[in-house]
Amino acid sequence: MSTTRPYPPGDRPEPGGDSAPPAGDDAEPAMGRDTRRLGFAGESGVVPLARDFARQALYAWGWLPAEGADRRAAAEDVLLVVSELVTNACLHAEGPDEMWITCDKKVIRVEVSDRGAGQPAPRTPHRAGRPGGHGMFIVQRLCLDWGVVRTPGVTGKTVWAELGAPA
């Protein structure tokens, strides 16, 4: 499911707001949530950088090392969604600006901001045998929800995706 709704009540404000998540590996515990931010300015190899950053967060939150196949699959799904969102920003939006990853007890939210004007969407119809164009289809299949947030008067967008925590 794709939506272009604003953040649910109580979620962090849109990028550029006064209370953006802290930089680097710092965490912001709020209402049982932990948010981490990664800036991409001047970085190369941003997809592996983003995956490593997300992996470190998953270790900090106890998702890794995974106990059992379900927990391992859930952690791998998060890393795959991170890869797809950052790759799409590289391919279609001049690269990512920042990534946020937020965890509460039930949901992990991944957000990637960029300066692109395009609207991500799964390729329709999806053809599994065709090369390329699978990123947003994968995100749609793995996530509880995903969407795009745009701030009026600001170039770019934030693409977000939410995944359920393993039981």
Side-chain angles (χ1 to χ4, degrees):
M1 168 190 307
S2 171
T3 59
T4 52
R5 62 174 163 76
Y7 294 90
D11 260 2
R12 108 178 147 67
E14 287 147 14
D18 291 340
S19 58
D25 210 15
D26 298 332
E28 177 187 279
M31 300 187 322
R33 291 179 297 165
D34 187 0
T35 300
R36 293 165 188 250
R37 176 192 161 276
L38 174 64
F40 294 105
E43 297 289 346
S44 61
V46 295
V47 175
L49 178 68
R51 283 181 63 91
D52 289 346
F53 181 81
R55 188 176 291 108
Q56 290 172 5
L58 292 173
Y59 270 102
W61 296 330
W63 282 50
L64 291 173
E67 296 176 12
D70 288 345
R71 294 187 70 79
R72 191 170 26 262
E76 288 299 323
D77 288 352
V78 171
L79 297 175
L80 180 54
V81 167
V82 164
S83 295
E84 294 299 338
L85 294 182
V86 173
T87 297
N88 278 354
C90 291
L91 294 175
H92 306 293
E94 303 171 27
D97 291 331
E98 295 180 305
M99 180 178 80
W100 294 272
I101 184 166
T102 303
C103 181
D104 65 22
K105 292 182 185 341
K106 296 182 181 180
V107 174
I108 281 195
R109 183 179 179 108
V110 178
E111 303 175 47
V112 176
S113 66
D114 62 51
R115 293 189 193 115
Q119 180 71 19
R123 182 183 280 175
T124 308
H126 181 256
R127 293 192 177 115
R130 179 196 240 172
H134 304 290
M136 293 312 294
F137 178 78
I138 290 169
V139 170
Q140 179 177 309
R141 295 288 298 222
L142 293 178
C143 294
L144 300 170
D145 199 7
W146 72 275
V148 177
V149 175
R150 296 182 190 275
T151 303
V154 176
T155 303
K157 64 189 172 297
T158 298
V159 181
W160 59 267
E162 295 177 338
L163 296 98

